[in-house]
Amino acid sequence: MEIKECTADQWDMFVQASPQGTIFHQRIFLESYGEKVRYYACWKGSDHVAGMACVETEEGCPVMPCQHLAGIIFKDFSGLNEYSKNETVFSASEAFASYIFERYQAFDAYCHWDLVDTRAFDWFNYHERQKGYYQITTRYTGLLNISDPYDVSGYAQFRVRDLKKAAKAPGIETRESADIALFDRLHDMTFARQGIKRAARVEKSVPRICQSMLEAKSGKLYITFVDDK
């Protein structure tokens, strides 16, 4: 396995074909932060099997504000048997674990839920922890299919109750909008109600992400009004 930098166009093509690829991995999202972005490809011979993109800052490569997924993604392995798939995923992860460790002093990732084998990172410098190592936290993600907005069979009961209540409430209207300043203000107010002040990087990033998504037609902004407020 060999890690090489690739172009942003090559990266976006890989994201589109990857089962783990999301908007949070695409260049239009990553480059909206106005920081340096690196795109990496993992090659097995002439086969591009995995990739990773990260935003480089003075602190290293953190997960950026509003970036809910960040880390390694893989090509579609549906044509491989389980042994070959698992071996390739492990080997690619092992290559990235070594490459990242040598290149960055600090690195964070929120990996896609498909990546269940983190041994390559857990075992790195396992017997020589004084050289540095990765800290791994297991998180659990609930998935809900919302392709049919009228099918609420998988929803929690309190969520169904809230939806029914909202549907019957008078004076409620949701409209598509381009008012990023309003969205930003509502975002700030949401945190202020909890006694939390948004970090400077969040304040800077939220409007830029919205602007990039709307201009690229990769996102939509909706505002809900109650009696026109």
Side-chain angles (χ1 to χ4, degrees), residues 149-161:
Y150 298 102
D151 180 7
V152 296
S153 59
Y155 287 45
Q157 288 186 352
F158 75 88
R159 184 67 65 201
V160 176
R161 181 197 62 206

Side-chain angles (χ1 to χ4, degrees), residues 10-31:
Q10 290 171 327
W11 169 254
D12 264 354
M13 289 177 61
F14 187 76
V15 171
Q16 293 290 341
S18 170
Q20 299 88 34
T22 69
I23 186 64
F24 302 110
H25 298 99
Q26 292 178 10
R27 67 181 294 188
I28 188 63
F29 187 91
L30 296 171
E31 293 181 0

